[in-house]
Amino acid sequence: MSSHDFMRLVEAFGLTGAWRWDFTTGRQVWSSGLYRLPGLPESEPASYERLLGLVHPADRDVLEDAAQIVQTGLFGSHTVRLIRPDGTARTVVSRGEVFFSAEGRPVALTGVLLDVTDRERLAEMHRMEQHRRASLARQAQVFIYTEPTLPLTEYGPEFLALVGLSREQIRGNWLSPFAPDERPRWREELLRLAAAGRPFSITPTLRLAGGGVAPFRMTMVPLRDGNADPACWTVVITPLEAETAPPASLPRQREPGQGHDGQAHLAQAIQGRHLRAARGLLDWTLNDLARASGLSLSTVRRLEEEADGPASRSRPHVLAALRKAGIVFTLIDGTVAVARTE
């Protein structure tokens, strides 16, 4: 196969075109593919100036003009947008090589254009997706990741900042973002659910970088490529508070202990997950809380599982024990915040 036949075969894909410019004679020659890329008829004379005229105005400054090329022999590699006569745009990579005489004078240039529109679109889509995920993480504490297998270990920087851990720490112990007292439960539960290969959710309490804890929902969905086993898993992590926040009619309490009405509303808003979060901050077991509150283990467990409801006579004993140990419950804009005093 001759070089001409090979070039024609390559250009048949419609993604590339070549051109040559002889500085001595001023003659320019374009291949058929170069005419197709910008959507020009082959009857039109080949001209570098014509090609420059098709470049998006915002991209023209990066390209060398004709005088620069002929006089200095400089011609760089650039990625620019071409606006075709029909109004459509294509993104192309322009590359070339300048040839010099024995005296060092530029005498000719051979160039090539490569259509990378689809590649650039995919890259832009990827950038937009990354920006969308980063915005969700910053503004709503929603995190989305995909990994080949479970448990998840390759969290993004936003989640690592939330829990105050490095990726190496999580690789060493995938349970490290979870509250210590919940780790045995989720170690068995997550692996059991993942083995079934079906979508599932867990609701762990996560340890936060600032020293607090908060309940989150982790929804895990298997993605398959036609095989029985999942090709990968997509995990969506969302705050559990956002799903079951107390009614908006509850007044805002700026500081704990300000008024009996505020305390009453706060006590009604505290739910089982807040008790678990408080216990996690103290690194207490259920037995520890039962001893501190003077209640039975089964009573404390029912309170954390919402079995007895907010009117339970045992709740004040549990809250008093937690507060005595340094836990502070605060109602902020209808949402219960849990913290531990030093």
Side-chain angles (χ1 to χ4, degrees):
M1 179 184 292
S2 68
S3 58
H4 177 74
D5 292 335
F6 179 75
M7 178 61 70
R8 188 181 63 218
L9 179 63
V10 171
E11 291 190 353
F13 289 98
L15 299 176
T16 189
W19 55 289
R20 181 175 175 82
W21 182 2
D22 189 320
F23 300 157
T24 305
T25 64
R27 183 170 180 261
Q28 297 187 42
V29 178
W30 289 3
S31 69
S32 296
L34 193 67
Y35 278 103
R36 282 195 294 269
L37 273 181
L40 298 176
E42 292 194 37
S43 58
E44 185 167 330
S47 166
Y48 181 71
E49 295 291 353
R50 177 66 171 118
L51 199 58
L52 279 181
L54 296 173
V55 175
H56 193 288
D59 297 343
R60 288 177 189 166
D61 288 344
V62 304
L63 294 173
E64 298 81 7
D65 61 32
Q68 285 179 299
I69 299 171
V70 173
Q71 294 170 11
T72 66
L74 295 177
F75 188 80
S77 297
H78 308 287
T79 301
V80 297
R81 290 163 292 176
L82 294 181
I83 308 300
R84 291 170 162 176
D86 63 4
T88 59
R90 306 299 293 177
T91 302
V92 299
V93 172
S94 171
R95 293 181 180 175
E97 182 179 359
V98 178
F99 299 90
F100 296 85
S101 66
E103 295 78 22
R105 181 170 55 86
V107 294
L109 166 64
T110 296
V112 63
L113 293 185
L114 177 64
D115 190 328
V116 293
T117 306
D118 292 339
R119 184 194 75 182
E120 291 298 307
R121 285 176 179 168
L122 287 173
E124 180 61 22
M125 289 174 62
H126 179 71
R127 286 190 292 269
M128 291 177 64
E129 176 66 10
Q130 293 297 101
H131 177 70
R132 182 182 70 84
R133 293 189 178 191
S135 296
L136 283 172
R138 287 193 303 269
Q139 300 175 24
Q141 288 191 332
V142 174
F143 309 89
I144 305 173
Y145 303 111
T146 298
E147 285 198 28
T149 59
L150 292 179
L152 197 68
T153 58
E154 302 300 308
Y155 297 98
E158 296 83 10
F159 183 84
L160 297 177
L162 174 76
V163 297
L165 296 170
S166 68
R167 188 170 286 107
E168 288 69 27
Q169 288 174 304
I170 298 179
R171 286 172 180 168
N173 179 11
W174 64 269
L175 288 162
S176 55
F178 294 28
D181 63 305
E182 294 186 10
R183 292 174 186 174
R185 172 190 176 186
W186 297 124
R187 178 184 290 111
E188 297 179 5
E189 188 76 357
L190 188 146
L191 296 178
R192 180 182 66 81
L193 293 170
R198 295 190 296 270
F200 66 93
S201 293
I202 62 173
T203 54
T205 300
L206 300 183
R207 305 192 71 171
L208 307 181
V213 294
F216 278 77
R217 179 181 300 279
M218 304 179 79
T219 300
M220 310 189 192
V221 180
L223 304 179
R224 293 180 169 84
D225 57 6
N227 297 322
D229 295 329
C232 58
W233 290 81
T234 289
V235 182
V236 181
I237 306 170
T238 56
L240 203 57
E241 287 280 2
E243 301 177 13
T244 56
S249 59
L250 291 174
R252 173 172 178 169
Q253 182 178 333
R254 290 185 175 83
E255 296 291 340
Q258 289 188 350
H260 296 294
D261 290 342
Q263 282 290 345
H265 282 295
L266 175 60
Q268 292 295 312
I270 295 173
Q271 301 180 22
R273 66 176 183 277
H274 302 120
L275 301 180
R276 291 195 299 272
R279 187 161 54 79
L281 280 175
L282 297 171
D283 284 337
W284 279 7
T285 65
L286 280 169
N287 282 320
D288 293 331
L289 182 54
R291 283 193 296 268
S293 61
L295 301 172
S296 68
L297 179 63
S298 60
T299 298
V300 173
R301 181 180 289 111
R302 286 199 306 272
L303 288 172
E304 289 198 359
E305 294 175 355
E306 305 283 357
D308 289 351
S312 169
R313 293 182 180 181
S314 301
R315 277 169 55 88
H317 297 283
V318 169
L319 296 179
L322 292 171
R323 287 183 173 121
K324 184 178 180 180
I327 294 298
V328 177
F329 297 99
T330 308
L331 194 60
I332 301 176
D333 292 332
T335 298
V336 175
V338 184
R340 178 183 179 181
T341 59
E342 296 298 332

